[in-house]
Amino acid sequence: MGENKIKTLVNNRYALGFAFIAIYLCISFVTRSIFYILSVHDIDFSLVNLLKIYAFGLFFDLGTAFFFIFPYVLYVLFVPQKLVGSLPDKVLTYFILALTIFLSLFGFLGEFPFWEEFNTRYNFIAVDYLIYTYEVVENINQSYPLPLLVSGLVLLSAALFFLFYKLGAIKAAFSGRTAFKSRLVYFSLFLGIPLFFTGFITNKQAEFSDNTYVNELSKNGVYSLFAAYRSNELDYDRFYKTLPVEESFQTIKNELVQDNQTFDEPANEYSLERNTLSSGQEQEPNIILVCVESLSADFLGIFGNEKQLTPNIDQISQQSILFTDMYATGTRTVRGMEALVLSVPPTPGHSIVRRLNNQHLSSIASIFRQKDYELNFFYGGDGYFDNMNSFFGGQGFNIYDRNRGNLLSEKIETTRNNITDDEVSFENAWGVCDGDMYNKLMKVADENYEKGKRTFSFLMTTSNHRPYSFPEGKIDLPNGTREAAVTYTDYALGEFIKQAQSKPWFDNTVFVLVADHCASSAGKWEITVDKHHIPALIYNLPHVAPQKVDKLCSQIDVMPTLFGYLNWDYSTSLYGKDISEMAPEEERSLIGNYRTVGLLKGAVFTELTDKKNANQYSWLADKKEMSKLKNQDTKLVDLTIAYYESAAYRYKEGLMKEEIQ
């Protein structure tokens, strides 16, 4: 009787499902082991941690495997017994199984470049990229030998089919005449486990350590991808520590107001509107802001890099106001744009650039309009990506981009100008090369000079991004590496400045150079402070001597500081401060990622997590080390809450809209 039960278990239609799950778990075990080896230097080894990593990993792998095989078991439930083993049955079975195997292998293979780039399992970045198929597919195609990889996946899939054959699973699938009631019992198992994971298991439950690498190793990549998709919006009040809203706003008002500012009277309790008064002669030059893709401070010679990757930026910095202790608010380009344009803390969830109803916000555009500036946004790709055109157009910028046919909403009142084919010498997945973009900007600057227009131009570069490709013959390094891309990025900027110096508008133009984020943000901690350290400088500013500014500051402070140097009187509700007016006790930086946000003040980093927790760490800048503090500074915790709670509240309640101010 026992032998018959074993035969019944093996020789039935669900044998293929069990075989797939077993093989999936084996492949995932190997993948996790490889990632562990790659990260071993960042993990303090302990046998308990190692066992937890593989135990949690096995649990999440098992759930994911059941999700993958569910379409097949659903088919098996309903196919009539008389069709088992027939040609239609074999065709459908092979098709469903082949697709399942291919997708699961693709998931494993795709994790390797993602881990290399971000040192995490799939997360919200992967979710965002799935929306923009052109850029992602082209980037993969230009970065990796795609035909070879697809061929390899097909061969691996065929090898797994052969393995199923050798295990007898295929024979069992086409010879087993399992009754419907028995199939229903098996189906209940295959359905019950996915339902259990969907209803009761969250990806966060794999996070048992303070070490980010340990937590990521404990997860399953595909499960993490869908978890990120399900939770791509985070409501601050629901997930984070709060104070009474009135208390948060009173705290943040006291924090933001500087000596040369006064609040409007009588002030709305939720208004941050304040008047900035200057004692100097106001200047109104043209302004060009170059936001450089993935330019970590570590790449620059002025910050200790000895590889001579950025000789032009290093030279320009000697003639500029250089901010040596500035930090990016986030890890994505849209976070950098948000910080520079809106001057707002990086509230949890998507950047405001990516959110709905983000037009006509209080921003630097509001201040430029007070000074009668024309606003231009330059991007080498299609600004549909990451909602950039809608965001910048919604703030009143003219758009200059590589239009690939993605239309702007009619609600966005802007002028969109195409970068034409004859203006392009080189183009990759993300857009035209930096050199072509600078040429386009100079052409527009020439036209505006002839028309007597006062302009602010925001240019977003793309060349320092995988696939790290650029025009041949410009630098001595070949395409394909990050160091080469940084070198070309520096070369193109240097050529731009040289050509700009010959233009009649140069003497009346100020250049701002700042990175959007660092090249890599991964580290031992959920937020690794040194992975947000970026360069920022202001060049060609009249009447201000070149200098190094060593104050701890944030990306959100860049434009308010420039306004201060230009001696502008203006009204503002921005969170950024004028760094030149900062007293030592005002120095701070706001840093976040998708779900964790924080405040660096002095040697203490305070973070808020989406589990309504607050943690504090001592930050040793010289050693780039953090250690958790047992006793918390409650004033710093409250200040951190005030920054993020008030910013989230203002956006949610529409208080950032210009017409409400």
Side-chain angles (χ1 to χ4, degrees), residues 35-48:
F35 290 159
Y36 184 90
I37 293 170
L38 293 174
S39 312
V40 69
H41 296 298
D42 297 298
I43 299 173
D44 295 327
F45 176 80
S46 80
L47 184 58
V48 173

Side-chain angles (χ1 to χ4, degrees), residues 312 435 438 442 490-501:
N312 292 296
Y438 291 131
M442 283 192 289
D490 176 78
Y491 162 82
L493 179 68
E495 290 298 301
F496 167 57
I497 295 297
K498 288 177 186 176
Q499 294 179 49
Q501 288 170 343

Side-chain angles (χ1 to χ4, degrees), residues 192-241:
I193 291 179
L195 287 178
F196 171 72
F197 271 81
T198 302
F200 300 101
I201 304 301
T202 66
N203 212 38
K204 298 173 191 174
Q205 290 170 321
E207 300 174 2
F208 62 87
S209 172
D210 290 333
N211 186 300
T212 301
Y213 288 100
V214 170
N215 291 334
E216 293 301 317
L217 287 167
S218 303
K219 298 175 182 178
N220 176 279
V222 173
Y223 195 89
S224 296
L225 176 68
F226 282 92
Y229 177 78
R230 290 173 64 191
S231 60
N232 61 3
E233 292 294 340
L234 292 173
D235 182 80
Y236 185 90
D237 293 339
R238 179 181 174 188
F239 292 101
Y240 295 85
K241 286 182 74 72

Side-chain angles (χ1 to χ4, degrees), residues 61-109:
D61 292 344
L62 186 65
T64 306
F66 272 88
F67 276 108
F68 265 117
I69 203 61
F70 184 76
Y72 171 71
V73 300
L74 183 63
Y75 163 72
V76 169
L77 176 66
F78 290 108
V79 65
Q81 281 198 29
K82 62 182 180 180
L83 291 181
V84 173
S86 66
L87 180 61
D89 179 38
K90 289 181 177 179
V91 169
L92 284 171
T93 296
Y94 287 145
F95 173 77
I96 295 171
L97 190 61
L99 185 62
T100 301
I101 291 172
F102 185 87
L103 291 176
S104 60
L105 289 176
F106 183 83
F108 283 123
L109 185 65

Side-chain angles (χ1 to χ4, degrees), residues 4-278:
N4 289 334
K5 285 185 177 180
I6 293 173
K7 285 183 178 180
T8 301
L9 178 64
V10 175
N11 295 320
N12 71 67
R13 296 283 282 166
Y14 289 96
L16 268 176
F18 288 114
F20 171 84
I21 291 170
I23 292 173
Y24 184 92
L25 295 179
C26 291
I27 296 174
S28 191
F29 177 88
V30 173
T31 302
R32 180 170 288 104
S33 299
I34 293 172
F35 290 159
Y36 184 90
I37 293 170
L38 293 174
S39 312
V40 69
H41 296 298
D42 297 298
I43 299 173
D44 295 327
F45 176 80
S46 80
L47 184 58
V48 173
N49 264 1
L50 187 63
L51 291 174
K52 281 186 175 181
I53 286 172
Y54 281 95
F56 276 92
L58 176 62
F59 178 74
F60 280 91
D61 292 344
L62 186 65
T64 306
F66 272 88
F67 276 108
F68 265 117
I69 203 61
F70 184 76
Y72 171 71
V73 300
L74 183 63
Y75 163 72
V76 169
L77 176 66
F78 290 108
V79 65
Q81 281 198 29
K82 62 182 180 180
L83 291 181
V84 173
S86 66
L87 180 61
D89 179 38
K90 289 181 177 179
V91 169
L92 284 171
T93 296
Y94 287 145
F95 173 77
I96 295 171
L97 190 61
L99 185 62
T100 301
I101 291 172
F102 185 87
L103 291 176
S104 60
L105 289 176
F106 183 83
F108 283 123
L109 185 65
E111 279 203 80
F112 284 92
F114 197 85
W115 186 276
E116 178 190 9
E117 185 80 12
F118 302 107
N119 294 117
T120 68
R121 299 288 191 172
Y122 295 129
N123 58 16
F124 71 97
I125 297 175
V127 174
D128 288 349
Y129 279 1
L130 288 175
I131 300 171
Y132 305 103
T133 53
Y134 174 86
E135 287 83 358
V136 174
V137 172
E138 284 298 303
N139 185 36
I140 293 172
N141 188 40
Q142 294 170 15
S143 301
Y144 306 99
L146 194 57
L148 184 62
L149 292 178
V150 172
S151 299
L153 281 175
V154 171
L155 287 174
L156 280 173
S157 299
L160 286 185
F161 261 104
F162 181 73
L163 182 57
F164 289 147
Y165 172 78
K166 295 296 289 183
L167 291 172
I170 291 179
K171 180 181 178 181
F174 296 134
S175 61
R177 304 281 175 171
T178 312
F180 182 78
K181 287 184 178 180
S182 297
R183 279 182 278 160
L184 198 58
V185 173
Y186 284 110
F187 178 76
S188 299
L189 170 66
F190 281 96
L191 174 63
I193 291 179
L195 287 178
F196 171 72
F197 271 81
T198 302
F200 300 101
I201 304 301
T202 66
N203 212 38
K204 298 173 191 174
Q205 290 170 321
E207 300 174 2
F208 62 87
S209 172
D210 290 333
N211 186 300
T212 301
Y213 288 100
V214 170
N215 291 334
E216 293 301 317
L217 287 167
S218 303
K219 298 175 182 178
N220 176 279
V222 173
Y223 195 89
S224 296
L225 176 68
F226 282 92
Y229 177 78
R230 290 173 64 191
S231 60
N232 61 3
E233 292 294 340
L234 292 173
D235 182 80
Y236 185 90
D237 293 339
R238 179 181 174 188
F239 292 101
Y240 295 85
K241 286 182 74 72
T242 60
L243 296 169
V245 175
E246 294 78 9
E247 183 179 337
S248 275
F249 273 90
Q250 189 55 56
T251 299
I252 206 64
K253 285 181 181 182
N254 294 337
E255 166 73 8
L256 294 183
V257 68
Q258 295 189 273
D259 289 343
N260 62 338
Q261 293 180 326
T262 56
F263 279 101
D264 288 345
E265 295 292 346
N268 180 297
E269 62 179 340
Y270 300 134
S271 172
L272 302 182
E273 195 77 12
R274 54 206 188 276
N275 294 313
T276 305
L277 300 176
S278 173

Side-chain angles (χ1 to χ4, degrees), residues 416-459:
R416 188 178 187 186
N417 305 274
N418 189 30
I419 300 170
T420 59
D421 291 344
D422 61 346
E423 295 174 313
V424 178
S425 67
F426 181 88
E427 188 171 14
N428 64 18
W430 296 105
V432 305
C433 65
D434 290 359
D436 291 341
M437 286 306 301
Y438 291 131
N439 289 336
K440 179 67 175 180
L441 188 151
M442 283 192 289
K443 181 179 178 180
V444 174
D446 289 342
E447 294 170 355
N448 287 330
Y449 174 77
E450 292 296 327
K451 296 175 182 177
K453 291 183 177 180
R454 185 185 303 130
T455 60
F456 168 70
S457 297
F458 187 117
L459 185 146

